[in-house]
Amino acid sequence: QGASRLASVVGDAELLILSPKVSEDCPNARYLQPARTIQAAQSYLHRHEGRLGRNSGQRGAFAVSNLLKVAFLSLGSTYELLLYADLDIDLMARPLDAATWRSGAEALLRSSALFVSLFDHASPVNGGLWLVRPRCDVFSQAVELLERGRWSAAEGFDGVGAPRSFLR
């Protein structure tokens, strides 16, 4: 229901669901199942097991589903802009009007930024709600990083710097 209400505000929106199964609740959605991303995410988690909270049962524990969001970056030849929201996000909790959406979306599209999100309690990026300008080259880099890269909280991905150092 939230997706339908949001589409009425956004206009030419399409609902994309990252899942191998079609839901009866969303029969008109486009479903994605990115095989390479799934394999890369599994490889990454296997190499970093024990350091990401995996299998710990913690709320912040990483799983393949966390990393599959990278797949949306591959849609750059199809979509100019994507709004991602986890299922537990109520996009219409605060009503959004078309003018506000249009203003924000146009500002991002005019900028050089590819990704916008708020921080959350655990990281510089709230992985549950973000806006992205998908790019296939960024997707390729992200999947390669999952397949071969390394991670540490002190040095980030492949030693580029601590994640919190990128907050502005």
Side-chain angles (χ1 to χ4, degrees):
Q1 291 176 344
S4 298
R5 289 191 321 238
L6 183 64
S8 69
V9 172
V10 174
D12 59 346
E14 182 177 2
L15 178 61
L16 303 172
I17 297 176
L18 191 60
S19 173
K21 295 186 286 186
V22 175
S23 168
E24 293 177 14
D25 296 333
C26 302
N28 298 323
R30 178 176 170 202
Y31 287 82
L32 308 173
Q33 185 176 3
R36 180 176 178 209
T37 311
I38 291 170
Q39 292 166 350
Q42 289 169 335
S43 169
Y44 180 82
L45 289 174
H46 178 73
R47 286 192 330 276
H48 294 86
E49 192 165 6
R51 290 186 288 160
L52 297 173
R54 187 169 184 231
N55 297 327
S56 65
Q58 301 173 36
R59 176 165 159 59
F62 259 69
V64 170
S65 61
N66 296 99
L67 300 174
L68 286 182
K69 298 170 188 180
V70 166
F72 287 109
L73 297 173
S74 72
L75 301 174
S77 61
T78 308
Y79 298 99
E80 184 176 34
L81 189 64
L82 291 171
L83 172 66
Y84 175 84
D86 277 348
L87 291 175
D88 62 349
I89 303 288
D90 182 358
L91 293 172
M92 299 307 288
R94 231 201 243 160
L96 177 67
D97 62 86
T100 302
W101 166 258
R102 202 170 28 259
S103 171
E106 288 171 0
L108 176 58
L109 292 171
R110 282 191 309 269
S111 77
S112 61
L114 297 178
F115 182 90
V116 179
S117 178
L118 294 173
F119 61 90
D120 70 9
H121 70 283
S123 70
V125 172
N126 180 340
L129 181 64
W130 39 266
L131 196 57
V132 67
R133 296 169 56 196
R135 297 289 184 272
C136 292
D137 60 324
V138 175
F139 168 73
S140 294
Q141 290 172 15
V143 171
E144 187 171 314
L145 186 62
L146 289 175
E147 290 171 340
R148 295 177 187 69
R150 64 183 198 287
W151 159 261
S152 80
E155 298 177 11
F157 285 103
D158 282 350
V160 299
R164 292 212 178 264
S165 69
F166 292 98
L167 286 176
R168 288 195 250 164

